[in-house]
Each structure stands twice: as structure tokens, then as C-alpha cells.
Amino acid sequence: MSRAKGNIAEDKACIYLYENGFEIVERNFYSRFGEIDVIVTKDNVLHFVEVKSGADYELAIQNITASKISKLIKTANVYMKKNAYDGDFMLDALIVTPENIEYIPNISL
């Protein structure tokens, strides 16, 4: 996926999250392990959100692999250490397709 398409999907994701009561904390947080697309808070829980887009849900969701989740967890840990955060957190996914946006909480279970 091109960076431009990724940015459009992330913009749509941020609008969706904001409209659903999340507060945007940071976008595109990088560590040596990888990147977290969007970091948000809601109800005193920090959410690390992986945004995936595709022509349909199946194509998009297939890109969230065990390896990707491992990198997300490591990057989330870097963020929390850097920001001295010691509260509750979740890894979530947000799937953006031309017709729909689907939020999937707690993908790391």
C-alpha cells in the first residue's frame, strides 16, 4: 500500500475514533521495532491502534500477523517506558475498507 493511501486510511481511522469518544494522543509513533499508527485514550485506557486498509475486510485483516502483533507489543512497551505510563492498555485494530470501518479491540489476546 502506498504511503498516501495509508495516510488516508489513518485520517479516516482518527475521525472514526474521535467520533466514538477516543482522544487522539499521537500518530505514527516509531521505535526500532516498528510503528504504531495511532495512540488514543478512552476511559483511562491507552489504546495502541493498528490501522489496516484494503479493498475488503479479508484482504486488510490478513495483514495483521503474529509477527506484526509482536512488533506492536514491543513498540507499545517502548512508548510506555518513554512516557512513564503505568496504566491499562490495549492493542486494537481498525480495518478501513471503501464501504466500512470496523474497530477490533484487544487483538493481542
Side-chain angles (χ1 to χ4, degrees), residues 25-102:
V25 175
E26 190 164 339
R27 287 179 67 169
N28 307 115
F29 175 79
Y30 291 93
S31 81
R32 64 190 180 96
F33 303 109
E35 175 202 10
I36 294 174
D37 296 323
V38 185
I39 301 171
V40 295
T41 61
K42 183 177 182 180
D43 301 326
N44 295 317
V45 177
L46 192 63
H47 296 260
F48 298 97
V49 183
E50 176 67 10
V51 178
K52 290 295 181 189
S53 64
D56 63 44
Y57 178 85
E58 291 300 319
L59 287 172
I61 196 78
Q62 288 173 5
N63 290 318
I64 301 177
T65 62
S67 169
K68 180 65 177 174
I69 291 172
S70 174
K71 290 176 185 173
L72 286 170
I73 291 168
K74 289 175 183 173
T75 302
N77 284 327
V78 170
Y79 178 88
M80 289 186 290
K81 187 171 185 177
K82 179 180 174 193
N83 290 281
Y85 181 80
D86 191 28
D88 293 331
F89 69 96
M90 289 171 53
L91 257 57
D92 307 332
L94 209 138
I95 308 301
V96 179
T97 63
E99 303 82 38
N100 198 15
I101 295 178
E102 186 163 344

